[in-house]
């Protein structure tokens, strides 16, 4: 067993950490409601939008493990987790399915722009009645001429208000269940595609989100990803990328949070001593460290297995579960240690709580991860 990063991986981490600390200076440190095109282009210049995409399409060509280390540096360096989430969702749930299942023409057409920051990608799978039970989705696609007509509503599309390209999952054969779902690339300008009003949410607030309505959109057959009926497989694979690599951003966030919390506990004095000298506070911080390191190693192991093309199903579910639940608990612990300063937003602590809360819901809830683990255990 070998626990060291290579020199190249360490250099990559340091480069991204430093560059992502500066992204928000592209405009101003005051975060706008959503991230801006300037922020997006800064992510592209650092290489964050194409980390795991082949170099011939403008990406960096990293495997899942190296990609996750880069995403960790991004989450540690950039205080806007909404931007980190948007860039990672773009990469793992739109660009990667395209890179892995798209035709040569589709890859040539879209990937260079998606890596270069000229395009924004989104994944449109969830529907009002199909959340965890994603394969109950009702959006329909039927053949017509040399293409398909798509009809349905997707209820939760991150990046949707700004996206140029949507990866839409639709049912091509209602009788075939899991095998009756197909993936399509839908361009923003497609007639019949209506972008809904954006809505507010608790955390990751700079990620824009909306519904989209597909009102009999004609999608040429060459915009189909993979074969007809391969949609569920494509979706599952994209979720593996997302659950494995996107969550590295929360490892990065926890690292930053821990450093800040230690420093606060050393500086803040009550009853004549720094609060960090009180055993109850010091032990709370020790537990934060334990959760972070446990989650980190589950994540590295999952990404390593995934990079090695080994079966990573259980490892990825364990990692997603551990990282997301640790991110929430560590954020709550940091808030408690900061006291009122945390609640009022000092050092971004209350924002970290809000940004962590959705992590046990998106990319498959904690309950679904436990279901996967239990199934893998033969239960
Ligand atoms: C910040 C954020 C970003 C998102 N971005 C996107 C996006 O870009 N594209 C997209 O398509 N979707 C996106 N989603 C939607 C996301 O995929 C769903 O929220 C998720 O799949 C859960 O579905 P749901 O919210 O409908 O909850 P439900 O499925 O209704 O679940 C409600 C509760 O029931 C539990 N539950 C459900 N089924 C079971 C079961 N079998 N056993 C035990 N418990 C169960 C769940 O764990 C949960 O606690 C996003 C969500 C969030 C919060």
């Amino acid at each position: 067993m070998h626990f060291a990063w290579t020199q190249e991986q360490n250099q990559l981490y340091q480069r991204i950490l430093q560059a992502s600390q500066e992204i928000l200076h592209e405009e101003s440190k005051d975060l706008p409601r959503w991230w801006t095109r300037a922020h997006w282009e800064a992510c592209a210049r650092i290489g964050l939008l194409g980390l795991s995409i082949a170099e011939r399409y403008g990406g960096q060509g990293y495997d899942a493990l190296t990609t996750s280390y880069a995403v960790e540096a991004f989450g540690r360096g950039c205080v806007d987790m909404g931007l980190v989430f948007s860039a990672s969702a773009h990469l793992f749930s739109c660009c990667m399915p395209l890179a892995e299942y798209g035709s040569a023409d589709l890859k040539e057409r879209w990937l260079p722009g998606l890596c270069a920051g000229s395009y924004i990608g989104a994944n449109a799978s969830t529907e009002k009645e199909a959340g965890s039970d994603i394969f109950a989705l009702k959006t329909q696609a039927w053949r017509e001429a040399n293409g398909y007509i798509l009809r349905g509503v997707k209820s939760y599309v991150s990046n949707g208000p700004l996206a140029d390209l949507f990866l839409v999952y639709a049912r091509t054969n209602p009788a075939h269940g899991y095998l009756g779902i197909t993936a399509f690339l839908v361009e923003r300008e497609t007639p019949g595609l209506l972008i809904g009003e954006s809505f507010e949410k608790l955390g990751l607030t700079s990620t824009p989100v909306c519904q989209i309505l597909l009102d009999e959109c004609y999608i040429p057959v060459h915009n189909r990803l993979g074969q007809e009926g391969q949609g569920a497989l494509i979706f599952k694979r994209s979720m593996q990328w997302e659950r494995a690599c996107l969550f590295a951003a929360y490892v990065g966030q926890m690292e930053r949070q821990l450093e800040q919390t230690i420093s606060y506990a050393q500086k803040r004095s009550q009853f004549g001593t720094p609060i960090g000298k009180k055993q109850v506070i010091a032990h709370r911080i020790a537990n934060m460290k334990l959760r972070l390191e446990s989650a980190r190693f589950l994540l590295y192991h999952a990404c390593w297995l995934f990079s090695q093309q080994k079966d990573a199903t259980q490892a990825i579910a364990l990692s997603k579960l551990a990282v997301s639940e640790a991110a929430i608990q560590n954020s709550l612990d940091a808030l408690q240690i900061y006291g009122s300063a945390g609640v009022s937003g000092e050092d971004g602590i209350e924002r970290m709580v809000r940004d962590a809360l959705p992590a046990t819901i998106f990319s498959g809830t904690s309950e679904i991860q436990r279901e996967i683990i239990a199934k893998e255990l033969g239960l």
Side-chain angles (χ1 to χ4, degrees), residues 33-34 156 197-203 205 207 209:
R33 179 173 171 229
W34 296 337
Y156 208 118
E197 282 292 303
S198 61
F199 50 87
E200 301 294 327
K201 53 187 156 42
L202 169 80
T205 49
T207 297
V209 60

Side-chain angles (χ1 to χ4, degrees), residues 115 120 162 166 194 202 270 283 310 346 357-358 369 375:
C115 293
I120 298 167
L162 303 175
F166 297 83
L194 303 173
L202 169 80
Q270 287 292 284
H283 283 193
K310 296 180 193 292
E346 196 162 300
L357 287 172
Q369 302 317 306
K375 196 167 159 208

Side-chain angles (χ1 to χ4, degrees), residues 85 123-126 131-132 156-158 204 358 361-362 365 367-368:
F85 174 80
N123 146 46
S125 43
T126 305
S132 300
Y156 208 118
V157 185
S158 298
L204 303 173
I361 296 172
F362 64 76
T365 65
E367 289 76 9
I368 295 300

